[in-house]
Structures are given as structure tokens and as C-alpha cells.
Amino acid sequence: MSISNLTDHPLLLFFRVLLRNPVGISAVAPSSQDLARAMVKGLDLQADEGLIEIGPGTGALTKQINVVLPQPQNYLGIELEGKFVDLLKQQFPDFQFVNNSMVNAHQIHQEAKKPPVKVIISGLSVSTLPRAIQDQFIENLDQILTSGSIFRMFQYIHAYPFPSSVRFRNRMAEHFSNYHRSRLVLKNLPPAYVVTWTR
């Protein structure tokens, strides 16, 4: 592998961005493919149903979404870090990525003119973010997701009992009554649960 290819490697890009903006990156490392597969397990999307990915990062989860999504034009990725967006567009040319914040998800989805959303899947550890961001994001979920739709994310094992994580789950319970936590995915850094809410 050439030096140029090494400097462009997604893992190195992730850590360069993490060092430059540690507050803006909620994950400590890109998700493993074991966690990514667990995140898409059981998703049954039809050809006329949309999927939004929040915080696709360097594309670890996007790679598995690409396997289960029937129509690539029904995908919408929202990523705040511009360098990640550039990388994602190269890796997944059939997917649409928007350089923006998850707190604008409802507006972004409307402007993108995508089909109704069946699944919102997050590569961000949303539950550890500040309260105001959590609340704005939950408001967006409430506007986008209809009956039968799903929101799925991961929670690191060490962060699951954090007060901010408990608060997030309690706030979500006000809007989404059906909650499920997976078995612990050990082959990830750190190990994580996949948590799912169904409307």
C-alpha cells in the first residue's frame, strides 16, 4: 500500500478528525463489522421505504446498510464532519449524503424528497450528548417516524448506566413504547448494545 493510500485510510482519517475535534465525535473508534451487522439485523425494508443514517462517519455501518437496503436512492445520510462526507461520497456513490446536523433531520428529509422513513439508524452515541441536543433530536424523530417505523442506535456498555443515557431512554419512552436491547456485542471497541425503539 502506498503512503498516499495509507494517509487516506478511513481509520486514519477517523483518528485525525477525532484528535482535531474530540467533542464533535461521539464514538471512540469506528464501529466493528460485528456491531454493524447487529445494527442491521432483522431490518426488513421494502422498495418504497426510506432509511436515514445519522452520523455515518467513515462508513462502517453504511457498508452493512448497503447490503440490506433494496433501493439505494431511498438512503439519506446526515454527517456533520465534512471530511467524512467526502470519503462517504467516494465509497458509496449511489447514496445521498448531506453535510449537516442530526437536529435538522426532519427538514433535511423533507428537502431531499425521499420516501417515507421506515428506519432511522444512528452511528452516533446520541445518549451521551448534551440534553439540548438529545431533546432536539427526539423532536425530529417524533416528526419523521410513523406507526411501525424504527429508530436504532448503539450504546457502549460503560455508558449504558450513565445519567445522560438513562435520561435519553426515559425521554424516548415518552414517544416510543416498544423498546428492545440486544445481547452485548463483544467484538467492538468498546463492547456495545444495540438498542431499538419501534413506534
Side-chain angles (χ1 to χ4, degrees):
M1 182 179 288
S2 69
I3 293 176
S4 174
N5 287 339
L6 276 172
T7 58
D8 291 337
H9 192 279
L11 186 60
L12 294 179
L13 175 60
F14 177 90
F15 285 115
R16 286 206 306 272
V17 171
L18 180 63
L19 289 172
R20 177 171 57 82
N21 183 21
V23 176
I25 306 298
S26 66
V28 299
S31 298
S32 70
Q33 285 304 294
D34 285 80
L35 178 58
R37 281 188 286 270
M39 289 278 279
V40 302
K41 184 178 180 181
L43 295 182
D44 183 20
L45 286 144
Q46 304 303 309
D48 60 346
E49 294 174 332
L51 180 147
I52 297 177
E53 183 181 8
I54 304 295
T58 57
L61 177 53
T62 317
K63 181 178 178 181
Q64 294 301 324
I65 290 173
N66 194 29
V67 174
V68 301
L69 188 66
Q71 300 290 340
Q73 65 267 27
N74 292 348
Y75 172 94
L76 178 63
I78 302 173
E79 173 56 58
L80 189 59
E81 173 53 56
K83 290 185 182 299
F84 290 163
V85 173
D86 293 340
L87 175 68
L88 290 161
K89 287 180 177 179
Q90 293 175 20
Q91 289 184 317
F92 307 97
D94 294 331
F95 283 179
Q96 181 180 355
F97 298 95
V98 177
N99 186 191
N100 209 314
S101 169
M102 66 180 187
V103 300
N104 301 317
H106 180 245
Q107 179 184 346
I108 294 166
H109 176 254
Q110 285 189 318
E111 292 175 353
K113 301 188 185 307
K114 297 291 185 180
V117 177
K118 176 65 178 291
V119 176
I120 296 180
I121 191 164
S122 178
L124 298 176
S125 186
V126 182
S127 59
T128 60
L129 296 175
R131 289 186 174 190
I133 300 295
Q134 288 186 11
D135 290 344
Q136 290 178 65
F137 183 55
I138 292 170
E139 287 174 12
N140 276 262
L141 294 179
D142 195 35
Q143 289 178 297
I144 297 170
L145 296 177
T146 58
S147 178
S149 54
I150 292 169
F151 172 65
R152 180 172 286 176
M153 57 178 275
F154 65 82
Q155 288 195 304
Y156 293 133
I157 184 173
H158 67 279
Y160 193 84
F162 284 1
S164 61
S165 298
V166 174
R167 178 188 183 274
F168 180 80
R169 294 195 297 273
N170 288 339
R171 290 282 288 110
M172 286 291 291
E174 296 171 12
H175 301 275
F176 303 88
S177 57
N178 191 336
Y179 171 75
H180 178 263
R181 188 187 79 182
S182 75
R183 296 177 64 180
L184 187 64
V185 180
L186 293 170
K187 293 183 179 179
N188 191 71
L189 181 64
Y193 298 107
V194 174
V195 293
T196 304
W197 287 266
T198 305
R199 170 150 272 182

